[in-house]
Amino acid sequence: MRRLASIVWLVLGLGVWLGLAGNGLAQDETGATPPPDRVTAPNTSTADHSKFEILQQSFASGPEVTAACLSCHTEADDQFMHTIHFQWEYESSAGQMLGKKNVLNAFCGNVAGNEPRCTSCHAGYGWDNMNQPPPAQSTAVDCLACHDRSGQYTKLADAAGHPPLEPVKAGAMTITGQPAWAVDLAKAAQSVGQPGRDNCGNCHFYGGGGDNVKHGDLSSVLYEPPLAVDVHMSPEGENFTCSTCHVSDQHEWAGSRYDVHASDPTGTGKPGARRDLATCESCHSNDPHPSTLIGMKLNDHVDVVACQTCHIPEFARGGVATKTMWDWSTAGRLSPEGKPMHEENYIQSDGTALHTYLSTKGDFEWGEDVVPHYAWFDGQVEYTTGDQTIDPEKVVEVNRIHGARDDGKSRIWPFKLMEGRQAYDAGFDKLAYSHVWGPTTDTAFWTNFDWSRAIEAGMKAAGSEYSGDYGFVDTHMYWPITHMVAPASDAVACAECHAQDARLAGLAGIYMPGTETMSWVGILGRLMVLAVILGVLGHGLLRLVTRRKGGSHHG
Amino acid sequence: MANRIVKVFPRFERFWHWTQMALIFTLIFTGFGLNGLHGLIGFKIAVMLHTLAALVLLGVWLFATFWLFTTGTWKQFLPRADGMFEVARFYAWGVFRGEDHPYRKLFWRKHNPLQAATYFVLKWMIFPAIWSTGLVYLTYNFWEPLPNAVFWLEIVANLHLLAAYVIVSFVIIHVYLLTVGHGFREHVKPMVTGFDEIDLTPEQEAYLEQNEPWRLKH
């Protein structure tokens, strides 16, 4: 018995050891495990790509897959290369050159100088210099980023858009901040279909360096949101993908914060989906509320109040916080041993501790269920680009929301107000570009913690003249809120605005019932009623007193 | 002159008075809720009730106006200076001395001169002020494209509010005056039963006995 027992133990022990070793071996070569399957929209395609011979090969790189795609989809590369997803450039109607390639923001600042890290989310392969246009060869387009439906395609966090392939380097991370795994390109290529929530979300949910950091209304919660978070995207609701609303035409997508349709007077238009824009009205029409008394009153609001204002009561819902403040000026503080430090003093509702200080990035504040900032918005956003002179004594608006009550097209919109404190050129009074990412350079801030070298290198990378002096300036940046539409029952109640010091307090150009009970007419009226009450009481009292004195009366 | 118990408030007039009262109270309560004076009612429900009550009241007023003019009752509400001073003097002085009310109700003159003048101002100025500003307020979206619409909206809203405060003042005085003289119950009763003490001329009495005996209590 004893011998049998020891044999059993030996066999078990060997099994466990082999299992662990095997697992360790697997980790070395293929990295971590890809994310689990999620609820997605059903596939209605007439083509099963796993049956295509050209896709039944072992691909050695992303561009090889693209070449295979283009052998049938001959015009896709040309279509896609002209879009903002590939060019990262957008000329606004005011003539400003915007897009990630050009703008500065209140988060990581700028792409120039930090390319292979930032361009990890470029829908292409190998763009590593912002001074050049994106690579021009047709195989530089990344078809899989948007069309992979196997769920295991991803991109490395610092490889200018390339996916992690076998063997995965130790410590390699994906664009969603996960330990990287080896992507099976053939499996991905054979799975292709229309983009799902994950295809868009893997980049757009993680903008600014983490989950929901940037937008506030775009977080990993939207992969599979509960109905209370997003009625459109929830599998319990409409189960929409992003492209259900962000309709496309020849790979050009409708709906961008650079080009916002702040109002849509056309509404639903002719039968059939409109391909040119993604507004609430294009499905819900311009009088979306029912023809009841209150419905008609609500419809009276839609010409001046955007749908989002009432129907997205708060953003960053569903348990993932958004960054609301980022102070770069405190970055660079090291531990007594000279090591980078981190503090985690914000506990998200799901229990996750979030960084509130990083030596690399400075101080942060976070928010969940954040009540938006409201402003009149006509759809135009003007940026404080790197060539504009700023007033460092004031809060610099990184982007300015255009619109006013009386321009006939603006509506009151919700925004995420991002507060920042970021570097500027103190000699030339303009926002500064900084070189933060660069594990092997002696200028990158995140490696060397030296602002003067980081800014000098950043300005050089961006081709912007630098005075040599830098400082930090308070900034505000505005992000239109349009996702996370709540169920109608959770819409902002009337009294949240129609009350004193309520949500829209301080907004110019409005008169709202319920907000000014102490207007001078209100005071006058109160005094009048008070005088009447006093008069009546006095009269009555006098009658009572004179009656007691024995005056004759009716009876 | 014979003092008789006569039906002076026919059914429609009483219905008109009490619906008006109920609606005006609803409007005052919901309206001041909307104004932010109290938080006893939700904004949304207050908007619905206020709008509905206002529209119903406008309907009742339309009927009442039609009724007043077809029945000739409108003459009851014409203000007259005759005897006004005596009534005013009574409220300011005589009432404290235990004097009788100087006004004797007549068949075609059931309101005292001060009362008639008050109702005249109410019907011709205060009520039109509240419903006209109310309608303009309610239909804001139709005239919103006009220049300075927000400025005018604020003016309209404040005039509406001012008229509302005047009506509240009227209601307080109106209810208080019911306590003067014969007492609250005695004064409310005619508006419930329709019958009140009226001085009838022999001719009026004979006419009513002959043609409208139901108007007289024996």
Side-chain angles (χ1 to χ4, degrees):
Chain A
M1 272 316 280
R2 191 172 267 251
R3 225 171 66 173
L4 187 68
S6 39
I7 288 170
V8 168
W9 279 117
L10 194 72
V11 170
L12 273 177
L14 195 70
V16 168
W17 178 82
L18 276 174
L20 281 176
N23 214 0
L25 219 64
Q27 197 115 40
D28 285 342
E29 282 181 6
T30 60
T33 34
D37 285 348
R38 299 190 177 100
V39 178
T40 55
N43 183 6
T44 55
S45 175
T46 51
D48 178 352
H49 284 75
S50 69
K51 292 179 179 162
F52 293 171
E53 253 170 57
I54 195 161
L55 301 180
Q56 291 162 0
Q57 53 167 303
S58 53
F59 296 101
S61 71
E64 277 186 26
V65 177
T66 301
C69 299
L70 295 177
S71 66
C72 289
H73 300 275
T74 56
E75 307 309 307
D77 57 328
D78 186 52
Q79 287 181 1
F80 189 73
M81 282 177 150
H82 290 101
T83 70
I84 193 170
H85 271 111
F86 197 76
Q87 293 292 330
W88 282 17
E89 191 157 58
Y90 176 83
E91 188 177 357
S92 78
S93 51
Q96 275 193 310
M97 287 312 281
L98 305 175
K100 286 185 192 303
K101 186 168 179 259
N102 303 304
V103 299
L104 284 142
N105 69 26
F107 295 87
C108 293
N110 50 280
V111 176
N114 308 297
E115 285 88 347
R117 176 77 183 89
C118 298
T119 51
S120 62
C121 261
H122 182 236
Y125 298 118
W127 191 11
D128 54 14
N129 185 354
M130 280 296 121
N131 289 314
Q132 304 289 325
Q137 72 275 18
S138 54
T139 53
V141 171
D142 182 352
C143 304
L144 291 176
C146 307
H147 292 289
D148 163 66
R149 299 302 306 133
S150 70
Q152 52 89 46
Y153 181 78
T154 186
K155 287 150 94 72
L156 279 167
D158 54 7
H162 286 289
L165 299 171
E166 226 167 308
V168 175
K169 258 195 298 178
M173 302 294 271
T174 71
I175 45 173
T176 60
Q178 308 292 312
W181 59 88
V183 164
D184 180 342
L185 288 173
K187 191 178 170 191
Q190 290 171 24
S191 77
V192 292
Q194 293 295 315
R197 289 187 288 267
D198 49 341
N199 295 98
C200 309
N202 290 342
C203 281
H204 290 278
F205 297 165
Y206 293 88
D211 196 355
N212 205 18
V213 164
K214 201 183 259 179
H215 286 269
D217 62 343
L218 288 178
S219 79
S220 65
V221 175
L222 295 184
Y223 282 132
E224 230 175 302
L227 192 66
V229 172
D230 194 305
V231 292
H232 298 110
M233 298 177 79
S234 173
E236 306 154 47
E238 302 294 336
N239 201 18
F240 280 2
T241 62
C242 307
S243 52
T244 311
C245 296
H246 291 271
V247 288
S248 66
D249 185 11
Q250 297 172 66
H251 282 98
E252 188 100 50
W253 267 264
S256 159
R257 70 193 165 83
Y258 292 119
D259 176 29
V260 178
H261 288 268
S263 64
D264 175 12
T266 315
T268 45
K270 296 258 159 45
R274 295 177 67 184
R275 309 307 294 177
D276 59 332
L277 82 172
T279 65
C280 307
E281 290 90 336
S282 49
C283 284
H284 291 281
S285 87
N286 281 313
D287 35 15
H289 304 97
S291 302
T292 58
L293 198 58
I294 208 71
M296 289 193 285
K297 199 70 230 168
L298 291 174
N299 281 340
D300 280 353
H301 285 69
V302 302
D303 57 337
V304 284
V305 180
C307 311
Q308 289 88 338
T309 298
C310 299
H311 289 282
I312 308 173
E314 289 97 24
F315 58 86
R317 299 202 313 278
V320 174
T322 188
K323 201 168 275 186
T324 54
M325 194 282 295
W326 185 333
D327 181 357
W328 277 102
S329 71
T330 58
R333 209 171 70 226
L334 300 175
S335 71
E337 300 83 43
K339 289 271 185 331
M341 302 188 299
H342 56 90
E343 288 167 14
E344 281 107 21
N345 292 326
Y346 184 89
I347 308 297
Q348 203 169 255
S349 64
D350 67 358
T352 315
L354 302 182
H355 288 134
T356 47
Y357 180 79
L358 282 172
S359 297
T360 48
K361 295 181 174 181
D363 281 295
F364 310 134
E365 282 171 18
W366 300 83
E368 264 186 83
D369 304 325
V370 185
V371 172
H373 164 87
Y374 298 97
W376 290 102
F377 186 32
D378 65 4
Q380 308 277 322
V381 186
E382 195 190 335
Y383 275 73
T384 301
T385 46
D387 54 349
Q388 287 186 11
T389 305
I390 58 165
D391 179 356
E393 299 302 309
K394 292 189 182 140
V395 175
V396 174
E397 295 193 301
V398 176
N399 62 352
R400 289 179 290 282
I401 299 305
H402 279 229
R405 169 69 183 85
D406 45 14
D407 63 13
K409 52 186 174 173
S410 288
R411 299 197 295 173
I412 299 167
W413 265 73
F415 293 90
K416 172 185 167 179
L417 168 61
M418 177 67 189
E419 293 177 297
R421 190 162 171 76
Q422 56 194 97
Y424 79 106
D425 182 330
F428 293 144
D429 284 345
K430 57 185 186 178
L431 289 176
Y433 296 84
S434 44
H435 169 49
V436 292
W437 187 89
T440 57
T441 70
D442 57 2
T443 47
F445 186 80
W446 291 350
T447 318
N448 306 285
F449 302 101
D450 180 344
W451 275 117
S452 61
R453 276 187 286 161
I455 292 169
E456 195 182 339
M459 296 299 263
K460 198 175 159 199
S464 184
E465 203 186 347
Y466 180 45
S467 70
D469 293 325
Y470 69 90
F472 290 89
V473 66
D474 289 321
T475 59
H476 279 174
M477 192 170 187
Y478 304 93
W479 294 77
I481 294 295
T482 191
H483 307 100
M484 294 192 176
V485 172
S489 54
D490 293 346
V492 173
C494 310
E496 299 233 3
C497 296
H498 287 275
Q500 218 142 12
D501 304 319
R503 286 194 185 217
L504 301 184
L507 201 64
I510 52 172
Y511 173 80
M512 284 197 304
T515 56
E516 284 174 45
T517 162
M518 287 306 265
S519 69
W520 64 267
V521 171
I523 295 168
L524 190 79
R526 280 180 181 78
L527 289 175
M528 180 168 61
V529 170
L530 187 71
V532 166
I533 290 172
L534 288 178
V536 159
L537 283 178
H539 196 268
L541 211 64
L542 214 56
R543 272 168 61 211
L544 222 62
V545 170
T546 52
R547 180 185 291 189
R548 288 235 177 88
K549 276 181 184 165
S552 72
H553 47 79
H554 296 283
Chain B
M1 284 284 204
N3 191 262
R4 296 290 302 265
I5 309 283
V6 185
K7 184 159 219 171
V8 284
F9 297 117
R11 194 172 291 144
F12 176 75
E13 206 165 338
R14 281 175 283 148
F15 165 78
W16 167 37
H17 177 269
W18 291 115
T19 15
Q20 189 164 244
M21 184 223 61
L23 290 169
I24 287 175
F25 267 96
T26 308
L27 287 163
I28 289 173
F29 179 68
T30 54
F32 282 104
L34 294 174
N35 183 245
L37 199 66
H38 66 77
L40 301 172
I41 185 169
F43 198 91
K44 189 170 170 179
I45 192 91
V47 168
M48 275 195 283
L49 278 176
H50 198 76
T51 313
L52 264 178
L55 294 176
V56 173
L57 185 56
L58 276 176
V60 172
W61 277 340
L62 272 176
F63 271 113
T65 309
F66 178 74
W67 179 85
L68 282 172
F69 283 103
T70 50
T71 58
T73 315
W74 61 277
K75 289 175 201 145
Q76 296 266 18
F77 293 94
L78 281 180
R80 272 186 214 161
D82 243 14
M84 178 100 74
F85 174 75
E86 284 76 10
V87 175
R89 187 200 155 276
F90 168 75
Y91 286 134
W93 177 253
V95 68
F96 305 123
R97 316 268 305 166
E99 289 174 11
D100 283 339
H101 201 291
Y103 188 70
R104 308 289 293 165
K105 286 175 190 166
L106 304 173
F107 190 56
W108 278 108
R109 210 61 206 167
K110 55 196 175 195
H111 306 125
N112 76 52
L114 201 61
Q115 213 180 352
T118 308
Y119 292 166
F120 184 83
V121 170
L122 202 65
K123 281 177 198 303
W124 285 97
M125 293 168 73
I126 312 300
F127 283 168
I130 198 119
W131 63 250
S132 62
T133 52
L135 283 178
V136 174
Y137 203 163
L138 189 67
T139 55
Y140 168 66
N141 261 64
F142 291 105
W143 53 273
E144 194 188 357
L146 295 178
N148 299 322
V150 175
F151 168 76
W152 290 111
L153 177 67
E154 193 167 351
I155 299 285
V156 166
N158 275 298
L159 286 176
H160 191 69
L161 181 64
L162 188 63
Y165 273 117
V166 173
I167 290 170
V168 171
S169 305
F170 162 79
V171 169
I172 295 168
I173 297 170
H174 183 66
V175 173
Y176 170 71
L177 286 181
L178 291 176
T179 67
V180 178
H182 296 278
F184 188 77
R185 277 174 63 96
E186 283 300 307
H187 279 144
V188 175
K189 217 166 104 187
M191 200 43 96
V192 177
T193 61
F195 289 98
D196 200 1
E197 275 183 53
I198 296 286
D199 285 346
L200 294 179
T201 60
E203 293 83 359
Q204 283 173 333
E205 200 177 8
Y207 171 84
L208 291 177
E209 288 278 13
Q210 183 64 40
N211 298 301
E212 294 174 28
W214 50 271
R215 272 199 191 267
L216 297 170
K217 246 189 187 161
H218 291 279

